[in-house]
Amino acid sequence: AAAAAIAASKGNGGGGGRAGAGEASSSRRKKGPGPLTTAYLVIYNVVMTAGWLVIAVGLVRAYLAKGSYHSLYYSIEKPLKFFQTGALLEILHCAIGIVPSSVVLTSIQVMSRVFLIWAVTHSVKEVQSEDSVLLFVIAWTITEIIRYSFYTFSLLNHLPYLIKWARYTLFIVLYPMGVSGELLTIYAALPFVRQAGLYSISLPNKYNFSFDYYAFLILIMISYIPLFPQLYFHMIHQRRKILSHTEEHKKFE
Amino acid sequence: MKHYEVEILDAKTREKLCFLDKVEPQATIAEIKNLFTKTHPQWYPARQSLRLDPKGKSLKDEDVLQKLPVGTTATLYFRDLGAQISWVTVFLTEYAGPLFIYLLFYFRVPFIYGRKYDFTSSRHTVVHLACICHSFHYIKRLLETLFVHRFSHGTMPLRNIFKNCTYYWGFAAWMAYYINHPLYTPPTYGAQQVKLALAIFVICQLGNFSIHMALRDLRPAGSKTRKIPYPTRNPFTWLFLLVSCPNYTYEVGSWIGFAIMTQCLPVALFSLVGFTQMTIWAKGKHRSYLKEFRDYPPLRMPIIPFLL
């Protein structure tokens, strides 16, 4: 659950392991996916790229129409929920082995975002108009457009350097931005969760179990403290490794 | 008889750490480890892993030098396993924790349930019975660790103790909190449910103890020999006909009994997590039995008869 933090990184470097596998030039790749699998993955990644582009366009249009950036969430709520939930398929891809990433890590990353979308933003109506929601939505949108197009181009063996560079550079700003948005949103939801007793189970009940969603959300926020720096520096390290590697290659050519 | 020369290199850096000339051909890896310690006292034998290949499997302590696929100059690669701690110490801390923690909740010491409940006692009989069962289970485990188990590996990495204690102590506190809570709800089917659960629990505890005794008798004191365990005259050990690790089967059974008795969701979750972990161990053990003994009874499954 701690992983909402990881989620923000997902597009940029959290999936560093995956990046290597997705790269066409990687000679360590044991066996590429079959043509049907590749076709499916290409379609999936194209659809996801398009989906997040729809969200981006939706945001811009709503902003232009309204002339204000407040409450833009409502204009893109449906595609945001749909495409972020669609990322659950990525867990399946890892589980059946057509994408060579860790199932556990991918699950944490995807689930934490799905959690934020459904269990926080969707469930606590009062926070939907907060600017913090927009903060992480923008961070996610840019991240995901780049990440899914990165996969698409990699699968097609034509990865433009610009996309690779963007994937391993923009996180420097987008990741802290996403994390701030997520934390502020959870924080804003806290009083409403407590007031309504949302998703909480109290004693006595015949299962002899209780759950305090309010405390759970606080625990999630605390879990960002150890996770955020760890991931951020992991990504910086990844960036150095992958981008400098490419530059060396260029010199040789 | 020709003597061997043994050089020990660091598995990561390939740096030469030690050169032993005139090693007896019958020398075991354990003896080589002892020689190595003399030049590098910080790496006591239990910390050392010696391999033929830098990334290969560790050699066993009882492997004999002349039987290894090496020339008269053997190159061994060394890896530091990190600080080690004895199994007995780990087990004792792991099990003493839950015993003690559970009792804190049972006696409702201050700062848990609110001042007006401090040192009060539950009005439900099942809560007291559960405390007896839980304490009995961990006292049994502690005594078994001290007097019954014979450990084939002497030590484990130090960090395991933190991991394992978090698991055992944390779950114990979580379960004890609900079972001893002033707002505890007793089982739906009353005394009948408690009696059935108690029967399951007691039978499984006896079974678990019987298996531990049978395994002890299988391995003479001080030896590391491995044999196929078979049923003995004790009927509880007859489960060996069907599974490789009946001690785990009985252990899971005990916890299911405890879960039915207390009708507490965290206990059920603890049983489930424990079952998953024990299944992984049982599968490993089962596999190594199959590998080691060609005449291994084909009917046996790792943990659940006919299924898993």
Side-chain angles (χ1 to χ4, degrees):
Chain A
I6 310 179
S9 79
K10 201 174 89 186
N12 304 302
R18 184 169 14 191
E23 270 159 58
S25 61
S26 169
S27 57
R28 265 191 299 171
R29 186 164 59 176
K30 281 175 198 158
K31 212 180 87 193
L36 261 179
T37 314
T38 311
Y40 162 74
L41 284 176
V42 168
I43 293 170
Y44 173 78
N45 284 301
V46 167
V47 170
M48 293 303 269
T49 314
W52 285 94
L53 276 169
V54 165
I55 296 168
V57 171
L59 285 170
V60 173
R61 282 182 55 175
Y63 172 69
L64 293 178
K66 277 185 165 179
S68 145
Y69 61 84
H70 298 297
S71 305
L72 287 184
Y73 171 78
Y74 300 102
S75 57
I76 45 93
E77 181 176 1
K78 280 202 175 120
L80 178 69
K81 282 176 177 170
F82 184 83
F83 289 103
Q84 186 51 60
T85 311
L88 287 171
L89 279 174
E90 285 183 50
I91 301 175
L92 185 74
H93 296 164
C94 297
I96 60 175
I98 57 175
V99 170
S101 312
S102 146
V103 185
V104 179
L105 217 66
T106 311
S107 305
I108 296 174
Q109 292 169 345
V110 174
M111 297 294 271
S112 60
R113 274 205 191 182
V114 170
F115 172 83
L116 203 74
I117 285 289
W118 290 103
V120 180
T121 315
H122 167 82
S123 304
V124 187
K125 304 258 176 288
E126 290 86 346
V127 301
Q128 292 172 357
S129 51
E130 291 282 330
D131 292 341
S132 61
V133 171
L134 192 64
L135 200 60
F136 75 74
V137 167
I138 291 174
W140 290 8
T141 307
I142 302 172
T143 300
E144 294 298 58
I145 291 170
I146 297 169
R147 187 171 70 95
Y148 285 117
S149 45
F150 176 92
Y151 292 147
T152 311
F153 287 118
S154 296
L155 283 162
L156 298 172
N157 289 343
H158 286 286
L159 179 62
Y161 182 74
L162 183 70
I163 294 199
K164 190 173 177 176
W165 178 86
R167 181 175 145 92
Y168 288 102
T169 305
L170 295 185
F171 79 85
I172 296 171
V173 181
L174 292 179
Y175 182 28
M177 182 175 151
V179 166
S180 322
E182 293 167 27
L183 281 173
L184 288 169
T185 305
I186 299 176
Y187 182 73
L190 284 177
F192 302 105
V193 168
R194 170 166 261 184
Q195 199 185 334
L198 186 71
Y199 300 144
S200 297
I201 302 165
S202 57
L203 290 173
N205 58 62
K206 63 177 176 173
Y207 304 106
N208 288 304
F209 172 72
S210 64
F211 181 69
D212 186 351
Y213 190 50
Y214 179 82
F216 179 73
L217 286 178
I218 291 177
L219 276 178
I220 287 201
M221 293 177 73
I222 293 172
S223 72
Y224 275 66
I225 298 171
L227 282 174
F228 172 74
Q230 216 174 316
L231 273 156
Y232 196 65
F233 288 111
H234 167 76
M235 281 146 48
I236 293 210
H237 177 78
Q238 207 69 28
R239 167 188 157 78
R240 204 175 298 145
K241 210 170 83 182
I242 285 166
L243 292 188
S244 70
H245 181 251
T246 326
E247 271 149 29
E248 269 170 39
H249 258 270
K250 277 189 172 169
K251 275 179 213 160
F252 275 115
E253 287 160 7
Chain B
M1 195 177 291
K2 266 198 86 181
H3 281 99
Y4 278 59
E5 289 174 342
V6 177
E7 60 170 356
I8 298 177
L9 308 186
D10 188 295
K12 281 186 200 149
T13 61
R14 307 290 149 89
E15 179 198 347
K16 194 172 197 167
L17 297 171
C18 169
F19 182 81
L20 309 164
D21 64 347
K22 298 204 174 161
V23 182
E24 298 277 337
Q26 303 91 329
T28 59
I29 293 297
E31 285 160 1
I32 293 174
K33 283 182 178 173
N34 278 323
L35 293 172
F36 183 45
T37 306
K38 283 184 188 145
T39 53
H40 295 273
Q42 75 274 31
W43 294 319
Y44 44 88
R47 268 186 92 139
Q48 301 175 22
S49 155
L50 295 177
R51 321 137 182 239
L52 290 173
D53 182 90
K55 282 177 186 161
K57 269 191 175 175
S58 300
L59 293 166
K60 291 194 192 103
D61 273 356
E62 55 277 14
D63 283 335
V64 178
L65 188 56
Q66 65 178 353
K67 290 194 178 143
L68 297 174
V70 290
T72 47
T73 305
T75 307
L76 298 178
Y77 295 91
F78 163 78
R79 236 169 223 275
D80 180 12
L81 295 175
Q84 299 289 304
I85 184 166
S86 87
W87 275 86
V88 176
T89 317
V90 175
F91 277 28
L92 294 181
T93 22
E94 269 174 23
Y95 303 153
L99 179 63
F100 178 70
I101 290 168
Y102 193 98
L103 291 173
L104 292 181
F105 286 91
Y106 177 74
F107 290 114
R108 296 185 181 162
V109 297
F111 305 110
I112 297 179
Y113 299 118
R115 187 168 290 173
K116 72 171 176 167
Y117 295 110
D118 286 352
F119 299 112
T120 57
S121 179
S122 174
R123 58 196 161 86
H124 304 294
T125 327
V126 64
V127 173
H128 307 297
L129 183 65
C131 180
I132 294 170
C133 289
H134 190 273
S135 306
F136 174 80
H137 171 262
Y138 280 106
I139 290 171
K140 168 181 161 293
R141 274 202 187 182
L142 285 168
L143 294 176
E144 283 176 337
T145 304
L146 288 173
F147 303 114
V148 179
H149 294 322
R150 287 181 175 143
F151 297 98
S152 60
H153 300 287
T155 65
M156 68 201 287
L158 182 63
R159 62 179 179 280
N160 281 19
I161 201 171
F162 299 106
K163 202 176 65 185
N164 295 8
C165 286
T166 313
Y167 169 75
Y168 279 106
W169 298 20
F171 257 117
W174 198 40
M175 296 189 291
Y177 175 79
Y178 290 112
I179 297 170
N180 298 296
H181 201 285
L183 296 177
Y184 174 78
T185 307
T188 313
Y189 301 100
Q192 250 180 321
Q193 184 176 340
V194 175
K195 275 183 206 161
L196 172 79
L198 181 64
I200 296 174
F201 180 83
V202 170
I203 290 170
C204 289
Q205 287 291 288
L206 288 171
N208 182 270
F209 177 68
S210 306
I211 301 298
H212 286 154
M213 288 307 284
L215 289 173
R216 172 196 171 86
D217 294 340
L218 210 59
R219 179 183 284 164
S223 86
K224 284 188 175 183
T225 55
R226 289 158 65 84
K227 281 188 243 162
I228 304 179
Y230 283 105
T232 65
R233 264 176 299 176
N234 176 347
F236 287 112
T237 66
W238 295 353
L239 200 50
F240 266 128
L241 288 170
L242 300 174
V243 295
S244 295
C245 301
N247 49 328
Y248 294 149
T249 317
Y250 283 126
E251 182 67 22
V252 173
S254 300
W255 284 106
I256 292 174
F258 194 63
I260 296 172
M261 181 189 295
T262 55
Q263 196 172 298
C264 175
L265 189 64
V267 179
L269 285 174
F270 182 65
S271 311
L272 188 70
V273 176
F275 173 60
T276 314
Q277 181 59 67
M278 284 185 261
T279 304
I280 294 168
W281 288 333
K283 281 188 160 176
K285 181 108 184 178
H286 184 72
R287 216 174 296 131
S288 71
Y289 277 141
L290 285 177
K291 223 170 92 183
E292 200 167 353
F293 306 107
R294 303 186 75 192
D295 53 342
Y296 195 69
L299 191 60
R300 289 193 196 179
M301 294 299 279
I303 185 165
I304 298 182
F306 311 112
L307 283 178
L308 194 71

